[in-house]
């Protein structure tokens, strides 16, 4: 158990719909990351939040958005869903002391949310 | 971040040491080598990381060559539960903390 929780575990929805995935980081971790894993693209970084602020963006579509709340939990919102959005969505958290700092901080991943778009 | 090259698959006998290689010939001086693994659609699991010295923890050992252009992850006594995809990742520190996953090595531990 990594200490990172994600809900729901499974989500089945139709094309064109909107869904929200939720992540609670490990206690004390300020950074939250979202990753997408599809069969053809592998594991891809989407976006990172640090203490409520967006910190880095990866290959995140404009139809997707995320936020991190004051209690540090994060939500990933996926809208206008397409069949190709079907994937595993992982959340990870880390201590991450902030920009420009030295030292390395490993990430701990949640169990993921499996999204199926029909 | 430096690119890594790993064999797509490897087999190992249960109870034997599993040695997983990774090539990172373009690694920079401030880049760390990380290893993660993913057991069948579960969330990736952190294993170990290092900069230039060899590292050991309760899960594995990491051997980094002196020129830092390659490394080997060693699972000293592989079990069936070690069957997973193992990812070698090279990462800088001051450009965000995201991980860039490649294809990894699919390790099959056989009885």
């Amino acid at each position: 158990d990594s200490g990172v929780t994600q809900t729901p575990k499974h989500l089945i929805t139709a094309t064109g719909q909107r869904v929200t995935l939720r992540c609670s980081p490990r206690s004390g971790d300020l950074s939250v990351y979202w990753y997408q894993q599809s069969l053809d693209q592998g594991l891809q970084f989407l976006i990172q939040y640090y203490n409520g602020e967006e910190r880095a963006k990866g290959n995140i579509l404009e139809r997707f958005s995320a936020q991190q709340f004051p209690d540090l939990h994060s939500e990933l919102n996926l809208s206008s869903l397409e069949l190709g959005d079907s994937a595993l969505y992982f959340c990870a958290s880390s201590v991450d002391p902030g920009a420009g700092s030295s030292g390395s901080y490993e990430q701990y991943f949640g169990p993921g949310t499996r999204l199926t778009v029909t | 971040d430096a690119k890594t090259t790993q064999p797509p698959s490897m087999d190992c006998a249960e109870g034997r040491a599993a040695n997983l290689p990774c090539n990172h010939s373009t690694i920079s001086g401030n880049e760390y080598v990380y290893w993660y693994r993913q057991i069948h659609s579960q969330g990736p699991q952190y294993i170990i990381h290092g900069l230039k010295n060899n590292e050991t923890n309760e899960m594995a050992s990491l051997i980094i060559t002196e020129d830092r252009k390659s490394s080997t992850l060693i699972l000293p006594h592989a079990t069936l539960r070690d069957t997973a995809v193992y990812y070698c990742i090279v990462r800088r520190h001051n450009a965000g903390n995201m991980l860039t996953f490649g294809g990894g090595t699919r390790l099959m531990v056989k009885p």
Side-chain angles (χ1 to χ4, degrees), chain A residues 43-74:
Chain A
L43 264 163
Q44 288 199 311
F45 167 73
L46 294 178
I47 196 164
Q48 176 197 0
Y49 275 80
Y50 173 74
N51 203 20
E53 300 289 326
E54 182 183 303
R55 177 95 175 270
K57 256 185 175 179
N59 299 320
I60 188 166
L61 299 172
E62 286 191 10
R63 301 182 285 109
F64 296 1
S65 65
Q67 54 185 328
Q68 187 179 27
F69 294 87
D71 67 352
L72 300 178
H73 91 270
S74 178

Side-chain angles (χ1 to χ4, degrees), chain A residues 33 35 37 90 104 107 109, chain B residues 34 36 38 43-44 49 97 99:
Chain A
Y33 312 79
Y35 293 84
Q37 186 173 33
F90 291 106
S104 58
Q107 294 180 22
F109 284 75
Chain B
Y34 281 78
Y36 283 76
Q38 186 176 26
H49 73 274
N97 201 27
L99 298 171

